[in-house]
Amino acid sequence: MLRFLAVFIGLLTLMFGVELTPWAQTWLVAPWTDGVARTATAVIHLFDAGARAQGNIVGTGDGSFAVSIEAGCNGVEATLVLIAAMVAWPASWRRRASGIAIGTIAVQALNVVRVVSLFYLGQWSRDAFEWAHLYVWQALIMLDVLVVWLLWVRWSPAGAARDGSQGPPGGPTGTPPAPAPAA
C-alpha cells in the first residue's frame, strides 16, 4: 500500500505539473476543453437545436445564457487522478491501458452530463447553478473517479503484473470454480 501511495502521489505531482505548462495548456488542455464543449452542445441539440459552442463556451442560440468550461470543469484533472491511480496499482500494462481507456470515457461521459445539466440549471436559477456547480458536481465527478477505479481494481486483481497470473482461482472474487457437471 505504501508503494501505491508513493507512486500515486508522484504521478499526480508530475502530471499536474506538466498539465500546468503553457505547452500542455495550448496543445492538450484547450483542445480537450473545446471538445467537451462541442460534445455537450451535440447532446443539448437533442433538446434545443439553437445551442451553440464557441471554443470552451456553450450558449443559447439567442445569447441569453452561456457556460464557460474552465480548468477544473473540463474533466482533465479527474482523468489525471484516475490515470495515476490505475498506473500506481499493480496490474499488467494491458489491463491498465484498457482501464484507462474505459475509465476516461466514463469520467468524460459524466462530465458532459455535468455541463449539460449546468447549462439548463443556469437558465432556470443562478443560485441553483452555483450550488450544483461548486458542491454537487465537484463531489460527483470525484466519486465517479473513485467508483471507476474501485470497479477496475476488482476486475484487475493485484499481483497479475508481478507473476503473470490471472489472479486467484475462480476469478477476482477468490471463489473456486464450480465443479464440472457429470456426464
Side-chain angles (χ1 to χ4, degrees):
M1 180 57 82
L2 204 51
R3 179 199 167 279
F4 168 78
L5 288 174
V7 172
F8 177 69
I9 291 168
L11 285 172
L12 278 181
T13 303
L14 175 67
M15 290 190 299
F16 282 146
V18 169
E19 181 213 4
L20 294 174
T21 65
W23 180 88
Q25 289 293 313
T26 300
W27 294 100
L28 300 173
V29 176
W32 183 278
T33 306
D34 294 352
V36 171
R38 286 191 306 275
T39 303
T41 302
V43 172
I44 293 168
H45 276 171
L46 297 172
F47 311 101
D48 178 8
R52 301 284 180 254
Q54 183 173 0
N56 65 331
I57 298 173
V58 178
T60 59
D62 63 5
S64 62
F65 182 78
V67 293
S68 176
I69 304 168
E70 300 294 334
C73 298
N74 55 11
V76 169
E77 290 82 2
T79 301
L80 292 179
V81 171
L82 181 66
I83 291 169
M86 287 184 173
V87 171
W89 190 257
S92 70
W93 283 104
R94 171 181 252 162
R95 288 180 190 261
R96 287 176 177 148
S98 62
I100 289 168
I102 293 168
T104 298
I105 291 168
V107 169
Q108 290 304 317
L110 185 62
N111 197 49
V112 168
V113 170
R114 169 193 193 180
V115 172
V116 170
S117 72
L118 291 172
F119 176 78
Y120 285 113
L121 195 57
Q123 292 177 66
W124 175 68
S125 167
R126 185 72 171 168
D127 290 336
F129 170 88
E130 289 297 329
W131 188 78
H133 174 252
L134 295 175
Y135 303 110
V136 175
W137 276 114
Q138 294 288 354
L140 287 177
I141 292 295
M142 291 315 291
L143 182 62
D144 181 40
V145 169
L146 178 63
V147 167
V148 167
W149 181 72
L150 288 173
L151 289 171
W152 176 81
V153 164
R154 181 166 171 84
W155 170 74
S156 178
R162 289 189 297 268
D163 63 10
S165 71
Q166 297 301 313
T173 60
T175 56

PDB file of all heavy atoms in Angstrom, residues 98-119:
ATOM      1  N   SER A  98      -6.446  -0.708 -20.845  1.00  0.00           N
ATOM      2  CA  SER A  98      -7.895  -0.836 -21.080  1.00  0.00           C
ATOM      3  C   SER A  98      -8.684  -0.126 -19.983  1.00  0.00           C
ATOM      4  O   SER A  98      -9.705   0.508 -20.255  1.00  0.00           O
ATOM      5  CB  SER A  98      -8.306  -2.302 -21.192  1.00  0.00           C
ATOM      6  OG  SER A  98      -8.049  -2.999 -19.996  1.00  0.00           O
ATOM      7  N   GLY A  99      -8.205  -0.191 -18.745  1.00  0.00           N
ATOM      8  CA  GLY A  99      -8.874   0.522 -17.655  1.00  0.00           C
ATOM      9  C   GLY A  99      -8.835   2.025 -17.851  1.00  0.00           C
ATOM     10  O   GLY A  99      -9.833   2.725 -17.626  1.00  0.00           O
ATOM     11  N   ILE A 100      -7.690   2.533 -18.282  1.00  0.00           N
ATOM     12  CA  ILE A 100      -7.570   3.977 -18.521  1.00  0.00           C
ATOM     13  C   ILE A 100      -8.490   4.407 -19.655  1.00  0.00           C
ATOM     14  O   ILE A 100      -9.170   5.427 -19.554  1.00  0.00           O
ATOM     15  CB  ILE A 100      -6.093   4.356 -18.798  1.00  0.00           C
ATOM     16  CG1 ILE A 100      -5.289   4.238 -17.499  1.00  0.00           C
ATOM     17  CG2 ILE A 100      -5.985   5.746 -19.395  1.00  0.00           C
ATOM     18  CD1 ILE A 100      -3.779   4.312 -17.681  1.00  0.00           C
ATOM     19  N   ALA A 101      -8.536   3.635 -20.721  1.00  0.00           N
ATOM     20  CA  ALA A 101      -9.404   3.987 -21.852  1.00  0.00           C
ATOM     21  C   ALA A 101     -10.881   3.990 -21.449  1.00  0.00           C
ATOM     22  O   ALA A 101     -11.597   4.975 -21.672  1.00  0.00           O
ATOM     23  CB  ALA A 101      -9.168   3.019 -23.015  1.00  0.00           C
ATOM     24  N   ILE A 102     -11.319   2.907 -20.833  1.00  0.00           N
ATOM     25  CA  ILE A 102     -12.734   2.809 -20.429  1.00  0.00           C
ATOM     26  C   ILE A 102     -13.046   3.815 -19.330  1.00  0.00           C
ATOM     27  O   ILE A 102     -14.094   4.464 -19.349  1.00  0.00           O
ATOM     28  CB  ILE A 102     -13.064   1.364 -19.990  1.00  0.00           C
ATOM     29  CG1 ILE A 102     -12.969   0.428 -21.198  1.00  0.00           C
ATOM     30  CG2 ILE A 102     -14.442   1.283 -19.345  1.00  0.00           C
ATOM     31  CD1 ILE A 102     -12.980  -1.046 -20.845  1.00  0.00           C
ATOM     32  N   GLY A 103     -12.135   3.967 -18.377  1.00  0.00           N
ATOM     33  CA  GLY A 103     -12.343   4.909 -17.280  1.00  0.00           C
ATOM     34  C   GLY A 103     -12.418   6.349 -17.750  1.00  0.00           C
ATOM     35  O   GLY A 103     -13.242   7.137 -17.272  1.00  0.00           O
ATOM     36  N   THR A 104     -11.554   6.708 -18.700  1.00  0.00           N
ATOM     37  CA  THR A 104     -11.589   8.069 -19.241  1.00  0.00           C
ATOM     38  C   THR A 104     -12.920   8.342 -19.920  1.00  0.00           C
ATOM     39  O   THR A 104     -13.508   9.414 -19.749  1.00  0.00           O
ATOM     40  CB  THR A 104     -10.422   8.280 -20.225  1.00  0.00           C
ATOM     41  OG1 THR A 104      -9.189   8.123 -19.508  1.00  0.00           O
ATOM     42  CG2 THR A 104     -10.465   9.646 -20.868  1.00  0.00           C
ATOM     43  N   ILE A 105     -13.415   7.378 -20.670  1.00  0.00           N
ATOM     44  CA  ILE A 105     -14.730   7.539 -21.314  1.00  0.00           C
ATOM     45  C   ILE A 105     -15.817   7.719 -20.268  1.00  0.00           C
ATOM     46  O   ILE A 105     -16.684   8.584 -20.399  1.00  0.00           O
ATOM     47  CB  ILE A 105     -15.023   6.343 -22.243  1.00  0.00           C
ATOM     48  CG1 ILE A 105     -14.089   6.386 -23.448  1.00  0.00           C
ATOM     49  CG2 ILE A 105     -16.486   6.332 -22.678  1.00  0.00           C
ATOM     50  CD1 ILE A 105     -14.081   5.118 -24.281  1.00  0.00           C
ATOM     51  N   ALA A 106     -15.776   6.919 -19.201  1.00  0.00           N
ATOM     52  CA  ALA A 106     -16.792   7.022 -18.143  1.00  0.00           C
ATOM     53  C   ALA A 106     -16.750   8.385 -17.452  1.00  0.00           C
ATOM     54  O   ALA A 106     -17.791   9.023 -17.239  1.00  0.00           O
ATOM     55  CB  ALA A 106     -16.599   5.909 -17.120  1.00  0.00           C
ATOM     56  N   VAL A 107     -15.553   8.848 -17.118  1.00  0.00           N
ATOM     57  CA  VAL A 107     -15.418  10.144 -16.437  1.00  0.00           C
ATOM     58  C   VAL A 107     -15.869  11.267 -17.356  1.00  0.00           C
ATOM     59  O   VAL A 107     -16.602  12.182 -16.943  1.00  0.00           O
ATOM     60  CB  VAL A 107     -13.959  10.362 -15.955  1.00  0.00           C
ATOM     61  CG1 VAL A 107     -13.732  11.783 -15.497  1.00  0.00           C
ATOM     62  CG2 VAL A 107     -13.623   9.380 -14.845  1.00  0.00           C
ATOM     63  N   GLN A 108     -15.457  11.209 -18.620  1.00  0.00           N
ATOM     64  CA  GLN A 108     -15.824  12.281 -19.542  1.00  0.00           C
ATOM     65  C   GLN A 108     -17.312  12.259 -19.889  1.00  0.00           C
ATOM     66  O   GLN A 108     -17.919  13.312 -20.099  1.00  0.00           O
ATOM     67  CB  GLN A 108     -14.959  12.222 -20.793  1.00  0.00           C
ATOM     68  CG  GLN A 108     -13.523  12.599 -20.532  1.00  0.00           C
ATOM     69  CD  GLN A 108     -13.359  13.968 -19.888  1.00  0.00           C
ATOM     70  OE1 GLN A 108     -14.010  14.941 -20.260  1.00  0.00           O
ATOM     71  NE2 GLN A 108     -12.496  14.044 -18.890  1.00  0.00           N
ATOM     72  N   ALA A 109     -17.905  11.078 -19.949  1.00  0.00           N
ATOM     73  CA  ALA A 109     -19.352  10.999 -20.202  1.00  0.00           C
ATOM     74  C   ALA A 109     -20.114  11.677 -19.072  1.00  0.00           C
ATOM     75  O   ALA A 109     -21.051  12.456 -19.320  1.00  0.00           O
ATOM     76  CB  ALA A 109     -19.783   9.542 -20.353  1.00  0.00           C
ATOM     77  N   LEU A 110     -19.715  11.406 -17.828  1.00  0.00           N
ATOM     78  CA  LEU A 110     -20.380  12.071 -16.710  1.00  0.00           C
ATOM     79  C   LEU A 110     -20.094  13.571 -16.735  1.00  0.00           C
ATOM     80  O   LEU A 110     -20.970  14.374 -16.401  1.00  0.00           O
ATOM     81  CB  LEU A 110     -19.952  11.466 -15.371  1.00  0.00           C
ATOM     82  CG  LEU A 110     -20.701  12.025 -14.160  1.00  0.00           C
ATOM     83  CD1 LEU A 110     -22.202  11.734 -14.261  1.00  0.00           C
ATOM     84  CD2 LEU A 110     -20.141  11.456 -12.873  1.00  0.00           C
ATOM     85  N   ASN A 111     -18.910  13.960 -17.150  1.00  0.00           N
ATOM     86  CA  ASN A 111     -18.591  15.383 -17.223  1.00  0.00           C
ATOM     87  C   ASN A 111     -19.459  16.091 -18.264  1.00  0.00           C
ATOM     88  O   ASN A 111     -19.880  17.230 -18.066  1.00  0.00           O
ATOM     89  CB  ASN A 111     -17.110  15.598 -17.523  1.00  0.00           C
ATOM     90  CG  ASN A 111     -16.687  17.006 -17.200  1.00  0.00           C
ATOM     91  OD1 ASN A 111     -16.968  17.523 -16.121  1.00  0.00           O
ATOM     92  ND2 ASN A 111     -16.027  17.648 -18.138  1.00  0.00           N
ATOM     93  N   VAL A 112     -19.755  15.429 -19.368  1.00  0.00           N
ATOM     94  CA  VAL A 112     -20.662  16.009 -20.367  1.00  0.00           C
ATOM     95  C   VAL A 112     -22.059  16.149 -19.778  1.00  0.00           C
ATOM     96  O   VAL A 112     -22.725  17.172 -19.967  1.00  0.00           O
ATOM     97  CB  VAL A 112     -20.663  15.179 -21.672  1.00  0.00           C
ATOM     98  CG1 VAL A 112     -21.800  15.582 -22.592  1.00  0.00           C
ATOM     99  CG2 VAL A 112     -19.321  15.326 -22.384  1.00  0.00           C
ATOM    100  N   VAL A 113     -22.513  15.139 -19.037  1.00  0.00           N
ATOM    101  CA  VAL A 113     -23.807  15.241 -18.347  1.00  0.00           C
ATOM    102  C   VAL A 113     -23.783  16.438 -17.398  1.00  0.00           C
ATOM    103  O   VAL A 113     -24.759  17.190 -17.295  1.00  0.00           O
ATOM    104  CB  VAL A 113     -24.138  13.934 -17.594  1.00  0.00           C
ATOM    105  CG1 VAL A 113     -25.340  14.102 -16.675  1.00  0.00           C
ATOM    106  CG2 VAL A 113     -24.357  12.799 -18.574  1.00  0.00           C
ATOM    107  N   ARG A 114     -22.674  16.629 -16.722  1.00  0.00           N
ATOM    108  CA  ARG A 114     -22.494  17.769 -15.816  1.00  0.00           C
ATOM    109  C   ARG A 114     -22.677  19.094 -16.556  1.00  0.00           C
ATOM    110  O   ARG A 114     -23.439  19.960 -16.119  1.00  0.00           O
ATOM    111  CB  ARG A 114     -21.098  17.696 -15.204  1.00  0.00           C
ATOM    112  CG  ARG A 114     -20.668  18.911 -14.451  1.00  0.00           C
ATOM    113  CD  ARG A 114     -19.179  18.831 -14.175  1.00  0.00           C
ATOM    114  NE  ARG A 114     -18.763  19.815 -13.214  1.00  0.00           N
ATOM    115  CZ  ARG A 114     -17.542  19.968 -12.801  1.00  0.00           C
ATOM    116  NH1 ARG A 114     -16.589  19.179 -13.243  1.00  0.00           N
ATOM    117  NH2 ARG A 114     -17.240  20.894 -11.939  1.00  0.00           N
ATOM    118  N   VAL A 115     -21.988  19.255 -17.675  1.00  0.00           N
ATOM    119  CA  VAL A 115     -22.068  20.514 -18.436  1.00  0.00           C
ATOM    120  C   VAL A 115     -23.484  20.741 -18.937  1.00  0.00           C
ATOM    121  O   VAL A 115     -24.027  21.852 -18.823  1.00  0.00           O
ATOM    122  CB  VAL A 115     -21.049  20.506 -19.598  1.00  0.00           C
ATOM    123  CG1 VAL A 115     -21.264  21.707 -20.512  1.00  0.00           C
ATOM    124  CG2 VAL A 115     -19.625  20.486 -19.065  1.00  0.00           C
ATOM    125  N   VAL A 116     -24.114  19.704 -19.472  1.00  0.00           N
ATOM    126  CA  VAL A 116     -25.481  19.829 -19.986  1.00  0.00           C
ATOM    127  C   VAL A 116     -26.439  20.210 -18.860  1.00  0.00           C
ATOM    128  O   VAL A 116     -27.268  21.116 -19.012  1.00  0.00           O
ATOM    129  CB  VAL A 116     -25.929  18.531 -20.693  1.00  0.00           C
ATOM    130  CG1 VAL A 116     -27.417  18.568 -21.019  1.00  0.00           C
ATOM    131  CG2 VAL A 116     -25.090  18.298 -21.945  1.00  0.00           C
ATOM    132  N   SER A 117     -26.320  19.536 -17.716  1.00  0.00           N
ATOM    133  CA  SER A 117     -27.224  19.851 -16.601  1.00  0.00           C
ATOM    134  C   SER A 117     -27.011  21.271 -16.097  1.00  0.00           C
ATOM    135  O   SER A 117     -27.970  21.981 -15.796  1.00  0.00           O
ATOM    136  CB  SER A 117     -27.056  18.848 -15.462  1.00  0.00           C
ATOM    137  OG  SER A 117     -25.823  19.048 -14.789  1.00  0.00           O
ATOM    138  N   LEU A 118     -25.756  21.709 -16.034  1.00  0.00           N
ATOM    139  CA  LEU A 118     -25.484  23.074 -15.582  1.00  0.00           C
ATOM    140  C   LEU A 118     -25.966  24.105 -16.600  1.00  0.00           C
ATOM    141  O   LEU A 118     -26.408  25.201 -16.225  1.00  0.00           O
ATOM    142  CB  LEU A 118     -23.992  23.256 -15.289  1.00  0.00           C
ATOM    143  CG  LEU A 118     -23.479  22.497 -14.063  1.00  0.00           C
ATOM    144  CD1 LEU A 118     -21.962  22.590 -13.974  1.00  0.00           C
ATOM    145  CD2 LEU A 118     -24.135  23.001 -12.789  1.00  0.00           C
ATOM    146  N   PHE A 119     -25.902  23.772 -17.869  1.00  0.00           N
ATOM    147  CA  PHE A 119     -26.415  24.653 -18.918  1.00  0.00           C
ATOM    148  C   PHE A 119     -27.902  24.937 -18.704  1.00  0.00           C
ATOM    149  O   PHE A 119     -28.339  26.077 -18.750  1.00  0.00           O
ATOM    150  CB  PHE A 119     -26.176  24.007 -20.286  1.00  0.00           C
ATOM    151  CG  PHE A 119     -26.751  24.774 -21.443  1.00  0.00           C
ATOM    152  CD1 PHE A 119     -26.110  25.892 -21.947  1.00  0.00           C
ATOM    153  CD2 PHE A 119     -27.927  24.358 -22.041  1.00  0.00           C
ATOM    154  CE1 PHE A 119     -26.631  26.593 -23.021  1.00  0.00           C
ATOM    155  CE2 PHE A 119     -28.466  25.042 -23.118  1.00  0.00           C
ATOM    156  CZ  PHE A 119     -27.816  26.168 -23.612  1.00  0.00           C
TER     157      PHE A 119
END
